[in-house]
Amino acid sequence: MFNKTAIRESKGDRLFMFLIYLFLSLVLIAVAVPLIYIVSSSFSSPQAVVTGKVWLFPVDFTLDGYKAVFNNPQIGIGYLNSLFYTVVGTIINVTLTIMLAYPLAKKTLYGRNFFMVLLVITMMFEGGLIPYYLVVKNLHLLDTRWAMILPGALGVFQVIVARTFFQTTIPDELAEAAELDGCSDIRFIFSIVLPLSKPIIAVMTLMYAVGHWNAYFDALIFLRKPDLFPLQIILRNILILNTVDASMMADVSQMQAQQGLKDLLKYSLIVVASVPVLVIYPFVQKHFVKGVMIGSLKG
């Protein structure tokens, strides 16, 4: 039997931990209070929102804001467009990242350091907005859905993280053993590499998906057709330009003030726009920390 001796913390250690917990609590409050206020305001009446009665709990509970959001066809189209850009774009991003990162992780690839230098250079230098726009224009991608997907089809940072993951997780001996058993390179990737790479795939999926879902600048400069606008452009118009479509007010004519309606729509749309990311995160959270930590090690 071993005697379990409790290690006593010094006063300095206890004070340090107290300050850490205090700081984290303040950060939590600073982050949580605005989120709670937005959710509560989205379920409150316009009058309560305008008069400042809402704080942590809804006042005069109502779903009129969400009814107005979902009854507007422009918001529905924007929501579907954002889903399309996110799903298709993420699939292309992850596929291209793996196709580039795995060969660069192999020591047998001739000139892999040269290719890595070329990739890193693109992270440090760029042509600017005007050449970027001209390239997209000359490729005839303006006012098309591909303008939101193809220009950012590959992220160099994600390639570096995935390459490091493959170097530290998939040993060369495993590939040699599979080759001795008659396993082709393609089968080795699908049967061994991808199943072992779930953490880094989850990390890349979350990174790319959040980027596509929140993207609005490319749509702002490349798209002119309202039928192609993502949800973030519509959210921007409501939050920044403070514009409200007349069709939104048709179903909420009983609301007392137009300003109250605008504020209610803002909060409701923010909640609706945040739901997909909140739904995705729990499914990849268990792989997220492992993938980031392993992928961040130097190979």
Side-chain angles (χ1 to χ4, degrees):
M1 297 295 294
F2 294 95
N3 294 327
K4 296 182 178 180
T5 304
I7 300 177
R8 293 184 178 181
E9 294 182 351
S10 63
K11 292 182 179 180
D13 292 337
R14 290 196 295 268
L15 177 60
F16 177 76
M17 293 304 300
F18 171 77
L19 294 177
I20 292 296
Y21 282 117
L22 178 62
F23 174 75
L24 294 178
S25 300
L26 294 176
V27 172
L28 176 62
I29 293 174
V31 174
V33 170
L35 296 178
I36 295 175
Y37 173 78
I38 290 174
V39 175
S40 299
S41 298
S42 68
F43 289 105
S44 301
S45 65
Q47 183 179 4
V49 174
V50 173
T51 56
K53 295 180 180 179
V54 181
W55 189 46
L56 294 180
F57 300 99
V59 178
D60 299 331
F61 183 86
T62 179
L63 296 176
D64 290 337
Y66 291 98
K67 292 179 182 178
V69 168
F70 289 108
N71 287 337
N72 180 262
Q74 185 181 4
I75 293 179
I77 293 174
Y79 211 98
L80 293 177
N81 287 336
S82 290
L83 288 176
F84 175 82
Y85 298 143
T86 301
V87 174
V88 176
T90 301
I91 292 175
I92 294 176
N93 291 143
V94 174
T95 302
L96 293 180
T97 300
I98 294 177
M99 291 176 61
L100 181 58
Y102 180 72
L104 290 176
K106 304 295 291 182
K107 297 179 180 179
T108 55
L109 177 65
Y110 179 76
R112 64 170 187 159
N113 293 330
F114 172 74
F115 293 116
M116 282 302 304
V117 171
L118 293 181
L119 289 174
V120 173
I121 289 177
T122 63
M123 294 181 62
M124 301 179 179
F125 305 98
E126 59 180 15
L129 180 59
I130 294 178
Y132 182 38
Y133 178 85
L134 293 177
V135 169
V136 175
K137 180 181 178 181
N138 292 332
L139 292 176
H140 305 289
L141 297 178
L142 293 180
D143 275 337
T144 64
R145 298 186 185 276
W146 296 112
M148 297 291 295
I149 297 175
L150 294 184
L154 186 67
V156 177
F157 174 77
Q158 285 80 1
V159 171
I160 295 175
V161 173
R163 169 182 173 268
T164 307
F165 179 89
F166 291 138
Q167 286 180 331
T168 57
T169 306
I170 311 297
D172 295 336
E173 292 78 10
L174 187 61
E176 294 174 359
E179 185 177 356
L180 290 176
D181 291 336
C183 182
S184 63
D185 293 334
I186 300 297
R187 184 177 179 182
F188 177 75
I189 292 176
F190 283 97
S191 300
I192 299 178
V193 174
L194 293 183
L196 294 177
S197 304
K198 291 181 180 179
I200 197 62
I201 293 177
V203 171
M204 291 189 297
T205 300
L206 184 61
M207 288 182 177
Y208 282 126
V210 172
H212 282 293
W213 185 260
N214 293 329
Y216 77 93
F217 185 72
D218 286 351
L220 196 63
I221 61 177
F222 295 145
L223 302 180
R224 293 295 179 265
K225 299 178 182 178
D227 293 340
L228 300 179
F229 285 169
L231 183 61
Q232 301 302 329
I233 288 293
I234 301 172
L235 179 62
R236 172 187 175 274
N237 292 338
I238 295 177
L239 294 180
I240 299 179
L241 302 182
N242 201 25
T243 59
V244 179
D245 196 327
S247 61
M248 290 184 179
M249 294 184 288
D251 297 331
V252 289
S253 58
Q254 298 179 354
M255 294 185 176
Q256 299 180 1
Q258 181 178 353
Q259 185 60 41
L261 173 60
K262 291 180 180 179
D263 292 339
L264 183 62
L265 289 173
K266 290 178 184 179
Y267 297 128
S268 301
L269 189 54
I270 290 174
V271 174
V272 171
S274 303
V275 166
V277 177
L278 297 177
V279 171
I280 293 175
Y281 184 77
F283 295 98
V284 300
Q285 186 270 340
K286 62 180 180 180
H287 301 295
F288 188 79
V289 176
K290 181 179 178 181
V292 170
M293 293 302 294
I294 295 179
S296 65
L297 297 177
K298 294 182 178 180

